Amino acid sequence: QDQSVSGWRFFIQDIKTHSGRHRHQGGLAIHVIEGTGWTTVDGVRHDWEAGDLILLPIKPKGVEHQHFNANPGSPCKWLAMIYTHFYEALCCQHEQKEVSPDFGHA
């Protein structure tokens, strides 16, 4: 697959209410494009707003986290940046703890 930046994966997420709560080894960066909210990281709340950079730490047993829109109904978007070499070296482990209400179920 052709990519403009080799070794990186990028995606934009619009958080309508909140993301699902999940755990993985971390090591990714999130740039807040629009809106305000907070992220809980291992139970600790960290507030953010447009222009902020969220860095999830790399931890041996993973980092449990969840993202929240402070103003549901208003746009809240961020760009996630994942260095795939880190992600692959850390075994790509991902454990879903709670699903987001924004995603339907079949």
Side-chain angles (χ1 to χ4, degrees):
Q1 177 178 2
D2 291 336
Q3 296 179 357
S4 60
V5 182
S6 179
W8 286 88
R9 182 173 159 228
F10 299 90
F11 65 91
I12 293 177
Q13 182 163 5
D14 184 5
I15 301 173
K16 297 183 187 319
T17 56
H18 62 80
S19 71
R21 184 169 45 92
H22 55 282
R23 174 186 301 275
H24 56 75
Q25 282 80 10
L28 64 104
I30 298 169
H31 179 259
V32 182
I33 300 169
E34 183 177 8
T36 59
W38 70 91
T39 296
T40 57
V41 178
D42 291 332
V44 178
R45 178 179 166 148
H46 301 275
D47 294 335
W48 42 257
E49 62 185 25
D52 285 350
L53 182 65
I54 303 163
L55 302 172
L56 292 177
I58 296 173
K59 295 174 65 178
K61 294 184 180 181
V63 57
E64 187 171 299
H65 55 285
Q66 188 171 18
H67 312 284
F68 295 85
N69 182 340
N71 300 299
S74 295
C76 186
K77 296 180 183 178
W78 47 253
L79 170 68
M81 298 161 275
I82 302 169
Y83 186 55
T84 57
H85 301 292
F86 275 160
Y87 195 72
E88 291 166 2
L90 296 171
C91 302
C92 305
Q93 184 181 21
H94 184 103
E95 179 183 3
Q96 193 70 35
K97 300 287 199 168
E98 175 186 321
V99 297
S100 169
D102 298 334
F103 296 100
H105 303 286

